[in-house]
Amino acid sequence: MDASSSITRTVVVNAPRSAVWAAITDPDKISQWFGQRTSLDLSVGGKAAFTWDEHGTARAVVTEVDEPNAFGFRWAADIDADPVIGNSTLVRFTLSEHDSGTELTVVETGFDTLDRDVADQKRAREGNIQGWHAELDELVAYLHGVKA
């Protein structure tokens, strides 16, 4: 995999893995840190929708559920579009034990498979780099506010 076509970000959260798993797979909890509204059918092939009031809805299809180790989905790069090959990327979260709690890594791949020119692929990746940076910071803040 070409590093210029993917994004990887890892954070360590001072929370048990079960709490981190819930935060990334429970629609009510996801809506606390990732957009304003979430719907999610937590099964492989299930549909998901993440809505930001200011941006619209990103639709997704669940690709992996391995509680509490990994969760993945394919989501459309375009707002309000169903994800298909050519307009979507793959997002995969992995969770592991860490001395300070839980290590959470998100990897998003497939920017080089988007049906657009290289400059637009790069813009999509750069936008999501900023997005994952902000969203995972919000996830950490959310989890640090959760009472165990």
Side-chain angles (χ1 to χ4, degrees), residues 1 15 29 55 73 101 120 141 148:
M1 171 178 19
K29 291 178 174 51
H55 300 297
F73 56 84
D120 282 345

Side-chain angles (χ1 to χ4, degrees), residues 6 21-22 25 39 41 75 78 86 89 96 101 103 110-111 116 122-123 146-147:
S6 66
W21 175 261
T25 59
S39 66
D41 173 1
W75 69 341
D78 300 314
T89 56
S96 61
E103 182 176 287
F111 291 96
R116 33 183 94 175
K122 183 177 179 180
R123 274 191 287 278
V146 172
K147 304 291 182 210

Side-chain angles (χ1 to χ4, degrees), residues 28-145:
D28 291 335
K29 291 178 174 51
I30 296 169
S31 298
Q32 299 299 309
W33 64 273
F34 195 71
Q36 281 77 46
R37 289 175 303 286
T38 302
S39 66
L40 172 64
D41 173 1
L42 187 61
S43 61
V44 174
K47 293 186 177 183
F50 310 101
T51 301
W52 291 263
D53 291 340
E54 66 274 15
H55 300 297
T57 298
R59 296 184 194 153
V61 174
V62 175
T63 57
E64 181 179 11
V65 178
D66 178 15
E67 183 177 356
N69 303 306
F71 169 60
F73 56 84
R74 174 176 290 281
W75 69 341
D78 300 314
I79 293 298
D80 297 322
D82 289 323
V84 294
I85 300 297
N87 82 345
S88 60
T89 56
L90 286 170
V91 175
R92 184 170 192 255
F93 292 94
T94 55
L95 300 84
S96 61
E97 299 293 329
H98 187 278
D99 290 344
S100 299
T102 303
E103 182 176 287
L104 175 69
T105 297
V106 62
V107 177
E108 184 172 3
T109 59
F111 291 96
D112 59 338
T113 66
L114 295 173
D115 288 339
R116 33 183 94 175
D117 66 35
V118 172
D120 282 345
Q121 291 173 351
K122 183 177 179 180
R123 274 191 287 278
R125 180 177 174 271
E126 293 298 321
N128 285 17
I129 288 172
Q130 294 173 12
W132 285 120
H133 185 81
E135 298 295 355
L136 291 188
D137 283 353
E138 290 180 31
L139 172 64
V140 171
Y142 166 72
L143 284 165
H144 287 170

